[in-house]
């Protein structure tokens, strides 16, 4: 009986290896199908072992590699008894399938955020990605992309283990040949490893990428778990927490202060040759227009904690004075009583507001930041069309702030945070600047989002068009800000204008930094006297040697500069 079972298993293994007799009924077609299936299984496993998990090195040469995991796996599996071999192969296949899905997720994170997936912090990012897709492409488009991604993940998790099991059976059937080939490949792997052979820069032929991927994410997992303790230690240090209101922001008494975040306004916009000539011209012209209106400006760079997305992390970092670069830090911050820049203005007598055109649901974060009032999208009176992800054009957002806050009689000075969204991906369709007196309820924008102007996915457009759309969107946002100052600026208006993060690598290619431009705009020269020690460059465009601060340093430097002893301080 035992002999019969073994014979049956050997026969099945032979058929899997393509060993059916040519003379048997259907022998040749069956053998051809078996060989094709085995070849496909080999391709699936090979790609799962060596495929890059970033956006670079995707050419054919990047796959000219010898995976050490395959060599070790084959050597172990072919010498195991039948039952342990099948169990081990199945478990190895499941693990490799999981790593393959992790590679795909890493690839997506690298493409958009220029970093790998964090298994502790990043689960909430999938929900935010779904919201972005729904707002940009509609429910049907978002559902289609989500379903396709889910089916791909399931296919990988099924196909990889099945492929490993098939290859294991074939290898056992031809054990001697398999061991000889594995030994030869092992020698080649060792030689390539010693000589550091690379056919593509940064991609060694002697591959251990699957093991490296597992190790890197395991190490990242441990570091992420320990990050909460580090953040608590950082948050415990606060030189301004107990400062009386009478000693806060004395250099800005009576001023309306606006902190305006320009979406995706990064250093590449003013330095990358594909954007810099046009954006530089807009900034130069804007600076000249501001000077003609009596306003000055000073500019530098801040290093954002995020890139390509995650604007809320940048907002939290600037306003809290803490480095908030992941979701755990963000949630921990929101559950604390950290003394934010908004709270400092409120303690010193300002009315604090958040003008949030992208806010379409309840936002309990407003209580943490210390706003007296939060205006969501439905509170701003906009009745025009939506422009892709942006619920309304930046011009209407700024006009609504002017109407709802600065135009009120007998009011206290106001401090406002205003995210400007027209330069948010996918950057199409795009509004045009109109006369401020023409805005009304926003219906004037209807013709700008007419037939044929519906948004499409960034990945469906050619790179040159995506970059052109991004540049045009940023030009619109920056020009709108300058026009707002011309139309509504006065001696008591002070603007802090900055980017939240660099755009996605889909736009810029591999980013060189996380820096974003920051500018202070004011008419009162005493504002710039307070900034004398900062060394910021004159105008709206920071030069290549402009100072660079981490974004979490801004709160303390700003409160120091505009405090009682801040004149000329750093």
């Amino acid at each position: 009986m035992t002999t019969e079972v073994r014979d049956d298993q050997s026969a099945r293994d032979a058929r899997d290896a393509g060993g059916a007799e040519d003379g048997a009924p259907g022998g040749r077609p069956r053998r051809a199908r078996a060989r094709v299936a085995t070849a496909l299984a080999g391709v699936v496993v090979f790609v799962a072992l060596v495929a890059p998990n970033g956006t670079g090195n995707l050419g054919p040469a990047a796959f000219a590699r010898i995976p050490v995991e395959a060599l070790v796996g084959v050597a172990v599996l072919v010498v195991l008894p039948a039952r342990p071999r099948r169990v081990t192969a199945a478990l190895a296949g499941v693990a490799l399938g999981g790593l393959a899905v992790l590679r795909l997720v890493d690839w997506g994170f690298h493409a958009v955020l220029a970093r790998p997936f964090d298994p502790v912090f990043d689960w909430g990012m999938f929900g935010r990605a779904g919201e972005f897709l729904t707002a940009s492409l509609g429910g049907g488009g978002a559902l289609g992309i989500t379903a396709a991604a889910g089916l791909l993940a399931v296919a990988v998790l099924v196909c990889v283990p099945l492929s490993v099991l098939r290859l294991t059976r074939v290898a056992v059937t031809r054990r001697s040949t398999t061991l000889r080939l594995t030994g030869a490949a092992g020698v080649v792997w060792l030689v390539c490893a010693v000589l550091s052979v690379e056919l593509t820069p940064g991609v060694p032929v002697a591959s251990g990428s699957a093991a490296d991927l597992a190790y890197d994410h395991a190490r990242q997992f441990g570091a992420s778990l320990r990050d909460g303790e580090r953040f608590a230690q950082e948050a415990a240090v606060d030189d301004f927490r107990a400062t009386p209101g009478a000693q806060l922001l004395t250099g800005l008494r009576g001023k309306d202060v606006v902190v305006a975040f320009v979406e995706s306004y990064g250093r590449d916009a003013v330095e990358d040759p594909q954007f810099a000539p046009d954006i530089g011209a807009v900034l130069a012209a804007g600076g000249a227009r501001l000077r003609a209106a009596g306003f000055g400006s000073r500019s530098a760079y801040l290093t954002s904690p995020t890139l390509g997305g995650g604007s809320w992390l940048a907002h939290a970092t600037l306003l809290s004075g803490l480095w908030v670069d992941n979701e755990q830090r963000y949630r921990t911050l929101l559950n604390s009583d950290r003394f934010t820049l908004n709270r400092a203005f409120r303690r010193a007598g300002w009315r604090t507001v958040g003008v949030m055109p992208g806010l379409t649901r309840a936002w309990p974060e407003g209580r943490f930041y210390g706003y007296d009032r939060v205006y969501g999208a439905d509170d701003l009176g906009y009745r025009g069309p939506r422009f892709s992800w942006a619920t309304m054009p930046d011009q209407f957002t700024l006009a609504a702030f002017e109407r709802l806050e600065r135009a009120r009689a007998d009011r206290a000075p106001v401090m406002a945070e205003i995210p400007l969204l027209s330069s948010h991906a996918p950057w199409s369709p795009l509004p045009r600047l109109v006369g401020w007196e023409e805005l009304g309820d926003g219906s004037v924008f209807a013709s700008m989002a007419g037939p044929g102007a519906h948004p499409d996915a960034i990945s469906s457009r050619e790179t040159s068009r995506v970059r052109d759309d991004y540049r045009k969107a940023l030009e619109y946002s920056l020009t709108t800000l300058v026009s707002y100052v011309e139309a509504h600026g006065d001696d008591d208006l002070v603007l802090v204008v900055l980017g939240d993060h660099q755009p996605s690598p889909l736009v810029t290619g591999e980013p060189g930094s996380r820096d974003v431009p920051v500018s202070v705009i004011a008419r009162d020269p005493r504002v710039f006297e307070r900034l004398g020690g900062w060394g910021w460059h004159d105008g709206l465009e920071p030069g290549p040697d402009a100072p660079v601060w981490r974004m979490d340093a801004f709160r303390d430097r700003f409160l120091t500069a505009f405090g009682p002893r801040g004149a000329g301080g750093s």
Side-chain angles (χ1 to χ4, degrees):
M1 183 69 176
T2 302
T3 302
E4 292 177 358
V5 170
R6 287 177 177 172
D7 289 343
D8 288 343
Q9 180 62 49
S10 299
R12 286 195 296 271
D13 289 343
R15 287 196 297 272
D16 284 338
E21 293 295 329
D22 290 348
R28 285 187 177 179
R30 184 182 299 116
R31 184 173 64 175
R33 289 195 298 270
R35 286 179 173 175
V36 169
T38 300
L40 289 176
V43 170
V44 167
V45 172
F46 181 76
V47 171
L49 285 168
V50 304
N53 64 327
T55 57
N57 299 321
L58 293 179
F63 291 87
R65 314 184 72 184
I66 303 173
V68 68
E69 301 87 356
L71 303 180
V72 173
V74 169
V76 170
L77 289 172
V78 296
V79 300
L80 286 175
R83 181 170 296 177
R85 180 175 62 244
R86 288 193 294 272
V87 173
T88 302
L91 292 176
V94 170
L96 184 57
L99 283 176
V101 171
L102 185 58
R103 283 187 190 275
L104 291 172
V105 175
D106 270 356
W107 189 92
F109 270 73
H110 275 290
V112 177
L113 302 176
R115 63 172 177 82
F117 171 70
D118 190 305
V120 175
F121 301 141
D122 283 340
W123 295 103
M125 298 292 286
F126 294 105
R128 294 183 185 269
E131 294 173 1
F132 167 71
L133 290 172
T134 300
S136 300
L137 304 177
L143 181 61
I145 291 177
T146 302
L151 289 174
L152 177 61
V154 171
V156 169
L157 290 173
V158 171
C159 290
V160 172
L162 291 178
S163 297
V164 170
L165 287 169
R166 182 177 188 86
L167 293 176
T168 300
R169 291 195 297 269
V170 172
V172 170
T173 302
R174 302 177 176 180
R175 181 179 280 106
S176 297
T177 301
T178 298
L179 288 175
R180 286 196 298 271
L181 291 175
T182 301
V187 172
V188 175
W189 186 95
L190 184 60
V191 171
C192 290
V194 171
L195 299 179
S196 300
V197 176
E198 296 179 354
L199 300 183
T200 296
V203 182
V205 171
S207 170
S209 64
D212 290 342
L213 178 67
Y215 173 76
D216 289 343
H217 276 281
R219 185 177 59 179
Q220 182 185 35
F221 186 86
S224 296
L225 291 178
R226 295 189 296 272
D227 184 67
E229 182 178 346
R230 291 195 300 270
F231 187 63
Q233 294 172 351
E234 295 167 12
V237 180
D238 191 344
D239 294 337
F240 291 93
R241 179 183 178 85
T243 304
Q247 297 179 23
L248 288 169
L249 300 161
T250 56
L252 290 172
R253 297 293 181 185
K255 306 291 187 187
D256 293 326
V257 180
V258 177
V259 178
F261 285 91
V262 179
E263 174 67 36
S264 301
Y265 179 30
R267 185 165 189 154
D268 278 26
V270 296
E271 290 191 347
D272 192 309
Q274 62 189 328
F275 310 120
D278 296 294
I279 298 297
V282 168
L283 293 174
R289 289 167 57 185
L290 290 177
R291 287 191 297 272
F295 285 83
S297 55
R298 302 290 186 275
S299 300
Y301 290 107
L302 300 176
T303 301
S304 175
T306 186
L307 188 153
S311 303
W312 57 95
L313 303 178
H315 296 199
T317 295
L318 184 97
L319 297 172
S320 71
L322 293 171
W323 190 251
V324 185
D325 62 347
N326 59 59
E327 287 295 305
Q328 177 175 274
R329 287 187 168 221
Y330 183 68
R331 293 191 297 269
T332 301
L333 177 67
L334 296 182
N335 290 320
S336 73
D337 59 353
R338 178 71 177 182
F339 189 57
T340 62
L341 188 59
N342 320 67
R343 291 181 180 275
F345 274 97
R346 188 179 187 183
R347 184 182 291 179
W350 270 262
R351 172 175 165 80
T352 57
V353 301
V355 182
M356 307 291 180
L359 186 60
T360 57
R361 61 184 181 183
W363 195 58
E365 290 95 323
R367 289 192 297 272
F368 160 74
Y369 283 113
Y371 294 116
D372 292 306
R373 174 66 193 272
V374 174
Y375 295 96
D378 293 338
D379 302 317
L380 299 178
Y382 184 65
R383 299 295 179 266
R386 184 172 187 139
F387 285 83
S388 187
W389 194 87
T391 56
M392 64 193 70
D394 291 345
Q395 186 178 14
F396 192 91
T397 300
L398 292 168
F401 164 64
E402 188 70 21
R403 166 172 45 85
L404 294 169
E405 288 294 332
R406 295 194 75 226
R408 294 168 54 186
D410 302 324
R411 63 175 178 84
V414 63
M415 181 270 179
E417 179 197 357
I418 308 178
L420 298 174
L421 304 180
S422 291
S423 53
H424 194 293
W427 307 299
S428 177
L430 190 67
R432 297 187 303 274
L433 193 65
V434 301
W436 292 90
E437 70 284 353
E438 301 175 33
L439 284 171
D441 64 359
S443 299
V444 68
F445 294 106
S447 62
M448 304 177 198
H454 61 280
D456 52 6
I458 295 174
S459 59
S460 69
R461 288 178 258 159
E462 290 191 10
T463 301
S464 59
R465 182 188 157 193
V466 171
R467 291 171 177 170
D468 194 50
D469 288 343
Y470 165 72
R471 175 186 57 78
K472 290 177 180 178
L474 199 52
E475 289 177 5
Y476 165 80
S477 293
L478 296 172
T479 302
T480 297
L481 271 167
V482 171
S483 181
Y484 168 75
V485 175
E486 290 177 314
H488 299 292
D490 56 29
D491 291 346
D492 292 329
L493 178 65
V494 177
L495 283 89
V496 178
V497 178
L498 72 154
D500 49 6
H501 52 69
Q502 287 258 56
S504 165
L506 291 171
V507 179
T508 62
E510 291 301 315
S513 77
R514 291 178 175 237
D515 297 346
V516 298
V518 57
S519 301
V520 174
I521 301 171
R523 179 179 283 170
D524 189 342
R526 291 174 296 180
V527 171
F528 299 113
E529 291 173 5
R530 293 273 181 163
L531 309 183
W534 285 11
W536 286 21
H537 287 195
D538 184 39
L540 291 177
E541 183 176 5
D545 58 342
V548 180
W549 303 345
R550 285 206 341 173
M551 195 174 280
D552 56 342
F554 182 83
R555 186 205 70 158
D556 286 8
R557 290 180 182 244
F558 188 87
L559 291 175
T560 298
F562 290 104
R565 296 179 297 278
S570 61

